[in-house]
Amino acid sequence: MSSRDYILGRVRWSLGRGAFERDSCQQLEARLNTPQSNLIPKRGQGDAKAQLSLFVKMATEVNATVSRLKALENVPKAVAKYLKEQELDATVRLADHPELQKLDWSKLDASTGFSTGDDLVGVVMAYAGAAETGSLALRSGADSPTTLNFLPDYHIVVLKAADLVGDYEAVYARLRRESNKTDFMPRTLSWVTGPSRTADIEQTLLLGAHGPRKLHILVIEDNGEAS
Amino acid sequence: MKLNAHNFKENAAKALKDEDLQASLAKLGTGFPLKRLAAAARLPEFEALRDQARDIKDHTLRHLDFYLEKFECKVQETGGHVHWARDIEDGRKIVYDICESVGAKTVTKGKSMIGEEMAINEYLEEKGLIPVETDLGEYIIQLRNEPPSHIIAPAIHLRKSHVEEAFRKTHTELPPERNLDEPEDLLKEARAMLRKKFIAADVGITGANFMIAETGSTVIVTNEGNGDLTQTLPRVHIVLCSIEKMVPNLEDCATLLRVLARSATGQEQSVYTTFSTGPKQMDDPDGPDQFHVVILDNGRSRMLGHDTHDMLRCIRCSACINHCPVYQSVGGHAYGSIYPGPMGSVLTPAIYGLEQSCDLPNASTMCGKCEEVCPVRIPIPQMLRSWREKQWEDGPVPILQRLAMSVWAFWAVRPKAYHFGAKIKMRLLGLLGRKNGHFKSLLFSKAWTKSRDFPAPEGKTFQQLWSEKGGRRS
Ligand code: SF4
């Protein structure tokens, strides 16, 4: 008997039944195919303004830094300013994201693509943000290499306020909505809440374990629709 | 790791005298529990979320075969492979075969309790591969060649001097005069050393906190980011998980994630929660070419529908361990199993058999704290009790203990005589112990008084005090 059949058989035997009948299968299929949210904490359910201030508060609490910008065009300038504050060279590795690529990076030494570990600073676009815990949702794709989220020491993430939602569930709903396939998940979907850390040595909290030492979030309050 | 759960009493006695260990444990006792309390207090829905978390796991376990099959189907649809392992041997072989099929030499590893259960590192080493643990705590204990002492903080028993010693011994290519006094120095060195390994590895092995039937995704929850590097940089990503890690939908996973980190470290959310689905997709600039999920049973399917069924709800948050007065006194290694503390004392006998781990169900004061803090409300004391009953029925209880229990039982069913006898005994002990307030040694109680004093009774039995107070608590 294959291990597969052995395990499934064993599960059924222990639960005291055979394989599911059609009826109960249909019920289970229905639960699986029409996902319902469970209890969602009230905390993130305010209006857009409340969500933004909650997001900033929660992200800051876990050692991320946040700048609020009026427009996407201001991103290169804000990045340059941040690098200066951090006493770094003005060199960045950009994700090949159309919204980032259309910006004027001429004042910085900017290259584009995934990282092989030699980049100190990575700049990426967030897919979404969840106010409830100040978390960023980053999805892999042609415009968003996963290596840029984990290899550089400085992780700069651009989040459009329009992509900020109250809770995780809203992001899952959006992923399903935006895909016409049943396989709507990217290879990698990461929720990022603050920069990397460890407390493995004498329970002392240290930032910058294996992932980025710093996480800087640029929130774009104007979505390019107004004015 | 090899099970060494026979020697709890000896190990515990040693642990109590280990000063380094006691210093670490003292910190643990206040650290995680206080943080958990603060995080729970901050979220008004926390208790209701725990109920839902329990119900989600219950539902999934009752229909586990259905969800396992759905998960398998979805992994295959998204280009990945599912491998079923009925036991440890099976699992190890599957992992090795995958490594061999791609000619792998080095393997990086994220933290995985299933990996510990399989002792996968030892196996791969025997086969000539070089596995490297990348979680800082796991890396440290791998260098020291010892098992983890905690399920989420594997090196919690060590002081920084131990870490320094291990690094100096291993990283011989670095200048010996370098400074490693501060935790920051140690972290910096580990980060630099492991960076090279991440990039060079052929295969990355991670665990999984959850498997999602709806999408065929596996989920890891980490703070360091090592798991993400492990599963993104190599050509092949292998996920080690066990059958009970299943949840139906992303929404169910969201609920469990809301209670996981808060219960574990008191964080609102761990730093990285990553969902992996299949290998890298067509336009992806990075990510692995192959995605394999190894689903281990190793005795779990036998637990379903039986006394320890509820234990399968466990999401390995470690809250029960952090709050356990026994764990806080003796640490993880005393249990001799990779799963220490209350959850381990239920799980280890279920996986390895009661004969192999007969001390563990008794390594509890039955204070009930574990159940109180468990995010999925597992009735741990009740299950420990059922293991004890089984022990009684099956026989591995010493003859003297049996005799004592029979004598006690004889009197216990004769309440009048029992109360009379107890009254006399309490009065006597009260009189004898009045001077010191405690006994340094006591007839028939050597095991107790060997490591602590026995407090002298006040002279009245509990029943007397209770009826004097009219049944009021204070
Ligand atoms: S038994 Fe409960 S408290 Fe203990 S590790 Fe499992 S889920 Fe956490």
Side-chain angles (χ1 to χ4, degrees):
Chain A
M1 191 195 295
S2 72
S3 286
R4 179 185 188 278
D5 293 345
Y6 172 86
I7 295 171
L8 290 172
R10 212 47 216 233
V11 166
R12 292 182 186 121
W13 181 82
S14 289
L15 290 169
R17 59 168 168 72
F20 280 108
E21 299 293 322
R22 215 149 141 219
D23 282 358
S24 33
C25 253
Q26 273 170 356
Q27 275 176 24
L28 290 170
E29 296 270 2
R31 188 193 189 284
L32 199 61
N33 299 330
T34 44
Q36 302 290 321
S37 292
N38 304 300
L39 177 65
I40 296 178
K42 273 223 186 63
R43 173 202 279 185
Q45 305 305 304
D47 60 16
K49 215 175 127 206
Q51 283 179 349
L52 181 54
S53 61
L54 179 63
F55 177 85
V56 174
K57 177 171 162 241
M58 298 306 285
T60 314
E61 237 179 55
V62 289
N63 314 86
T65 46
V66 186
S67 284
R68 294 161 70 150
L69 306 181
K70 281 270 159 297
L72 200 61
E73 288 69 51
N74 302 347
V75 165
K77 219 170 115 197
V79 170
K81 181 166 164 264
Y82 175 74
L83 297 184
K84 204 155 171 217
E85 281 163 15
Q86 300 290 327
E87 299 177 0
L88 296 173
D89 289 346
T91 308
V92 292
R93 185 82 171 162
L94 303 175
D96 192 5
H97 193 287
E99 304 237 48
L100 291 177
Q101 293 299 324
K102 72 180 184 199
L103 301 173
D104 174 13
W105 294 95
S106 58
K107 297 256 161 49
L108 293 103
D109 177 5
S111 60
T112 295
F114 63 91
S115 179
T116 50
D118 301 325
D119 309 292
L120 205 56
V121 184
V123 183
V124 303
M125 280 303 279
Y127 177 68
E132 126 172 56
T133 46
S135 307
L136 295 160
L138 307 176
R139 51 157 302 167
S140 60
D143 55 4
S144 175
T146 303
T147 41
L148 268 190
N149 299 331
F150 293 97
L151 282 170
D153 282 19
Y154 294 80
H155 190 199
I156 301 178
V157 183
V158 181
L159 169 68
K160 296 199 284 180
D163 293 330
L164 180 64
V165 291
D167 47 78
Y168 318 128
E169 283 84 343
V171 175
Y172 302 144
R174 181 177 150 200
L175 276 170
R176 289 192 189 99
R177 203 168 56 233
E178 284 180 354
S179 168
N180 43 16
K181 303 181 297 176
T182 49
D183 306 336
F184 57 87
M185 286 294 272
R187 147 70 195 169
T188 305
L189 174 71
S190 298
W191 287 104
V192 175
T193 314
S196 138
R197 68 199 58 203
T198 182
D200 274 345
I201 304 174
E202 292 195 355
Q203 301 168 62
T204 314
L205 180 70
L206 299 173
L207 295 181
H210 293 296
R213 297 172 204 265
K214 302 252 166 131
L215 170 63
H216 188 57
I217 306 170
L218 300 172
V219 181
I220 314 301
E221 298 193 52
D222 172 289
N223 308 311
E225 288 154 14
S227 78
Chain B
M1 99 183 237
K2 260 229 189 78
L3 192 68
N4 175 26
H6 287 295
N7 302 324
F8 181 78
K9 283 184 193 154
E10 276 166 45
N11 297 346
K14 250 188 256 153
L16 286 169
K17 292 197 193 103
D18 180 339
E19 278 171 31
D20 282 337
L21 176 65
Q22 291 302 323
S24 310
L25 291 172
K27 231 183 194 174
L28 168 79
T30 50
F32 288 150
L34 287 181
K35 290 194 188 120
R36 174 195 173 273
L37 202 64
R42 211 177 161 193
L43 189 68
E45 294 89 350
F46 189 65
E47 293 304 315
L49 285 166
R50 285 176 67 189
D51 289 338
Q52 290 197 340
R54 172 199 57 205
D55 296 346
I56 290 165
K57 278 301 218 177
D58 266 347
H59 167 84
T60 316
L61 290 174
R62 271 202 313 278
H63 307 97
L64 192 56
D65 47 335
F66 174 83
Y67 287 119
L68 281 167
E69 287 194 281
K70 284 286 166 195
F71 173 81
E72 177 187 40
C73 206
K74 213 62 214 183
V75 173
Q76 287 164 350
E77 263 175 54
T78 49
H81 306 271
V82 171
H83 310 263
W84 303 78
R86 70 174 90 179
D87 55 26
I88 290 171
E89 278 311 312
D90 226 8
R92 292 163 146 191
K93 208 171 155 309
I94 292 164
V95 174
Y96 176 68
D97 287 347
I98 299 169
C99 293
E100 204 195 13
S101 73
V102 294
K105 292 196 176 59
T106 61
V107 176
T108 40
K109 252 195 88 242
K111 202 177 142 23
S112 158
M113 290 311 291
I114 301 302
E116 296 288 349
E117 204 173 313
M118 288 184 185
I120 193 70
N121 289 351
E122 286 163 34
Y123 186 79
L124 293 179
E125 266 168 29
E126 271 168 33
K127 296 276 184 190
L129 290 173
I130 308 172
V132 182
E133 290 288 350
T134 60
D135 171 87
L136 181 58
E138 290 281 346
Y139 178 62
I140 294 167
I141 59 169
Q142 187 187 25
L143 296 186
R144 289 173 49 90
N145 204 3
E146 60 181 354
S149 68
H150 189 282
I151 60 172
I152 66 163
I156 198 155
H157 57 291
L158 297 175
R159 312 305 304 271
K160 66 175 191 255
S161 54
H162 295 126
V163 183
E164 177 179 350
E165 194 189 308
F167 283 10
R168 288 200 188 279
K169 215 164 119 197
T170 317
H171 306 155
T172 44
E173 63 271 49
L174 298 176
E177 67 280 1
R178 71 195 185 279
N179 184 359
L180 290 177
D181 286 349
E182 294 305 319
E184 285 86 354
D185 305 326
L186 295 164
L187 174 62
K188 221 166 121 196
E189 182 162 316
R191 181 179 164 112
M193 296 307 287
L194 283 166
R195 249 324 142 92
K196 298 178 205 151
K197 313 268 185 193
F198 279 125
I199 293 172
D202 305 302
V203 172
I205 301 179
T206 67
N209 290 76
F210 304 102
M211 304 185 262
I212 301 177
E214 173 195 5
T215 57
S217 315
T218 61
V219 184
I220 57 168
V221 178
T222 72
N223 280 315
E224 297 186 2
N226 65 308
D228 290 275
L229 290 173
T230 300
Q231 64 175 42
T232 303
L233 298 174
R235 283 173 290 147
V236 179
H237 176 200
I238 304 178
V239 183
L240 306 180
C241 50
S242 50
I243 55 170
E244 82 282 16
K245 299 276 159 79
M246 188 65 69
V247 290
N249 296 104
L250 289 165
E251 280 73 2
D252 299 312
C253 190
T255 302
L256 288 155
L257 285 169
R258 284 195 180 97
V259 294
L260 175 60
R262 290 185 173 95
S263 301
T265 54
Q267 285 170 285
E268 292 279 330
Q269 194 57 268
S270 301
V271 178
Y272 303 113
T273 301
T274 294
F275 296 66
S276 308
T277 315
K280 91 188 217 196
Q281 297 179 1
M282 210 158 44
D283 301 329
D284 288 354
D286 46 24
D289 299 325
Q290 292 183 26
F291 178 65
H292 297 269
V293 185
V294 182
I295 307 179
L296 177 74
D297 179 353
N298 202 27
R300 289 165 174 81
S301 58
R302 263 198 322 253
M303 295 166 67
L304 285 166
H306 294 84
D307 286 349
T308 49
H309 173 102
D310 290 342
M311 193 63 224
L312 294 172
R313 290 205 295 264
C314 176
I315 54 172
R316 305 285 189 270
C317 73
S318 83
C320 59
I321 299 173
N322 302 337
H323 288 76
C324 176
V326 176
Y327 181 94
Q328 284 174 11
S329 307
V330 301
H333 286 160
Y335 293 83
S337 159
I338 51 154
Y339 299 109
M343 54 81 71
S345 295
V346 175
L347 199 59
T348 306
I351 295 180
Y352 298 96
L354 195 52
E355 322 74 57
Q356 301 289 318
S357 44
C358 54
D359 278 341
L360 297 188
N362 300 298
S364 165
T365 64
M366 292 288 182
C367 70
K369 197 72 196 169
C370 45
E371 180 171 1
E372 203 180 304
V373 296
C374 175
V376 284
R377 302 197 193 281
I378 298 175
I380 295 177
Q382 187 187 313
M383 284 184 288
L384 290 174
R385 209 170 292 126
S386 82
W387 277 132
R388 291 183 186 183
E389 277 165 22
K390 202 157 167 12
Q391 242 166 17
W392 181 260
E393 286 159 14
D394 294 359
V397 177
I399 191 88
L400 260 178
Q401 201 175 325
R402 265 181 196 280
L403 202 66
M405 289 302 273
S406 322
V407 172
W408 181 83
F410 176 84
W411 292 111
V413 293
R414 294 167 175 78
K416 275 214 182 104
Y418 182 89
H419 287 160
F420 181 71
K423 251 192 231 167
I424 295 187
K425 192 171 159 202
M426 284 308 120
R427 183 133 356 125
L428 206 66
L429 285 175
L431 278 173
L432 284 173
R434 201 164 41 190
K435 203 165 124 230
N436 293 330
H438 58 257
F439 295 95
K440 283 224 174 312
S441 69
L442 208 58
L443 202 59
F444 299 130
S445 308
K446 246 206 228 116
W448 172 284
T449 51
K450 201 161 72 183
S451 51
R452 54 224 188 282
D453 293 342
F454 186 87
E458 285 179 24
K460 287 183 180 169
T461 66
F462 174 74
Q463 274 96 349
Q464 277 175 299
L465 292 170
W466 183 258
S467 63
E468 274 171 25
K469 289 194 170 163
R472 286 185 315 272
R473 276 169 183 259
S474 55

